Amino acid sequence: MFISPASDPPRAKLWELVLLCGGRVTGVPRQASVCIGPCQGKRKATVTYLSEKWILDSITQHQVCAWEDYLLQ
């Protein structure tokens, strides 16, 4: 996944949480199939754009939450 630099909570904190929970993060948006937080530029149809809340809720619930409730428009 790619975490936007404009994310809230800050990108570094989310990145650390994802790694601690066994997830993988890339610093290059085009390498990701999931983008977390506000992403600028043209959106790709092959990428899922999700709210930062998805990461936080997934960690809190100890399971990967369904994406449908966290999709960004």
Side-chain angles (χ1 to χ4, degrees):
M1 75 179 63
F2 173 78
I3 300 173
S4 169
S7 66
D8 182 32
R11 179 185 195 185
K13 296 292 184 188
L14 288 175
W15 193 307
E16 182 180 5
L17 286 172
V18 171
L19 294 179
L20 287 171
C21 293
R24 294 184 307 176
V25 182
T26 180
V28 183
R30 67 176 171 248
Q31 292 178 344
S33 59
V34 176
C35 181
I36 304 296
C39 295
Q40 298 178 353
K42 186 176 180 182
R43 292 190 174 197
K44 294 168 53 175
T46 57
V47 176
T48 304
Y49 297 89
L50 301 174
S51 163
E52 300 93 330
K53 191 166 172 21
W54 176 74
I55 291 176
L56 300 174
D57 287 353
S58 293
I59 291 170
T60 302
Q61 296 176 28
H62 301 284
Q63 65 181 3
V64 178
C65 294
W67 294 2
E68 292 79 19
D69 295 335
Y70 302 93
L71 291 171
L72 293 177
Q73 301 301 326

